[in-house]
Amino acid sequence: MSAVILLGHGSPDPRAGIGAAALAGRVADLLPDDEIRLAFLDNTAPTLTEAALTVAAHADITVVPVFLSRAYHVKVDVPAEVAKAGAAINREITITDPIGPDALLLGPLDAQLPPDAPVVLATAGTSDLEAQAAFDALALEWSARRGTPVLVAYASQAQPDIAAAITQLESVGEHKAAIARFLLFDGVFPDRIKATAGDRAISSVLGDEPLLAEIIADRVLATR
């Protein structure tokens, strides 16, 4: 039997932990021969090392970074924590690609938004220029697919912020902007984005989408 550890950021908001646990349950349904565990970088227990110790007897251990961009956490924090956990159990641990940004996730968001509306692709935020460029590429792909403008905006760390993106889109078109929350679980940033959206159409966060668990399962199977 193999073990899979879903490694998320962690949040002081309990809704994020509840969402992560529900996601882990859906992944377990798709990978019934694997033992599924959760771990977090910050704010929430257990740590990756603690989770790894509970599955150390398994032949293979795979860590899936539950992040929507290849920013600092994925580039630096995740490998460092995996190395620490591997040293603690004296085993090599496999790391998959993160779950985003993945264009497959645009479908569930698109289905929730008015077809003629320009879209703010709202993310938590990152100062990593490579991650920002990947979000811009995702927005261009979605814009071509929808036939409407799509503009990336950030809840923190980068510009434009959500309000500025809304203003920019609505200043050049006749439709109200719609807001696609490219975030995993409910918490501070999703709430902030929703408050800024006002009465505009807005998507749910992605954590409850069945497709997310399918992407995670595919990441795991691709390593085998």
Side-chain angles (χ1 to χ4, degrees):
M1 188 175 188
S2 300
V4 176
I5 303 175
L6 309 184
L7 178 60
H9 184 279
S11 171
D13 191 310
R15 292 175 295 169
I18 293 169
L23 175 60
R26 290 190 291 275
V27 173
D29 290 339
L30 296 175
L31 299 172
D33 295 329
D34 294 296
E35 186 168 356
I36 311 300
R37 289 284 185 269
L38 280 171
F40 302 93
L41 292 179
D42 197 10
N43 294 304
T44 311
T47 67
L48 180 58
T49 296
E50 290 168 341
L53 287 169
T54 69
V55 294
H58 290 291
D60 300 295
I61 301 174
T62 302
V63 169
V64 182
V66 185
F67 292 85
L68 290 173
S69 72
R70 296 176 180 272
Y72 184 87
H73 288 307
V74 169
K75 292 178 179 177
V76 178
D77 292 335
V78 170
E81 290 302 309
V82 169
K84 186 189 302 183
I89 64 173
N90 196 28
R91 293 273 304 286
E92 183 176 346
I93 297 175
T94 300
I95 312 175
T96 75
D97 289 335
I99 58 177
D102 193 316
L104 288 174
L105 294 170
L106 297 178
L109 294 175
D110 201 60
Q112 300 177 59
L113 304 177
D116 296 330
V119 175
V120 176
L121 182 57
T123 78
T126 176
S127 59
D128 186 288
L129 296 181
E130 183 180 353
Q132 290 178 15
F135 281 130
D136 288 339
L138 189 67
L140 282 173
E141 179 176 346
W142 197 9
S143 178
R145 185 186 304 180
R146 282 179 59 84
T148 69
V150 178
L151 180 62
V152 180
Y154 302 94
S156 69
Q157 293 188 277
Q159 295 296 321
D161 62 21
I162 311 303
I166 289 172
T167 298
Q168 181 176 333
L169 288 172
E170 293 182 347
S171 67
V172 296
E174 58 184 20
H175 296 285
K176 276 190 173 182
I179 316 300
R181 290 189 290 182
F182 201 72
L183 301 117
L184 290 169
F185 308 116
D186 288 318
V188 173
F189 287 149
D191 287 351
R192 182 183 301 173
I193 293 167
K194 185 175 182 178
T196 304
D199 63 353
R200 296 169 180 84
I202 186 168
S203 75
S204 302
V205 293
L206 288 163
D208 289 335
E209 289 292 340
L211 182 60
L212 192 66
E214 295 172 15
I215 289 172
I216 291 173
D218 287 344
R219 295 288 190 271
V220 173
L221 295 175
T223 68
R224 297 178 177 170

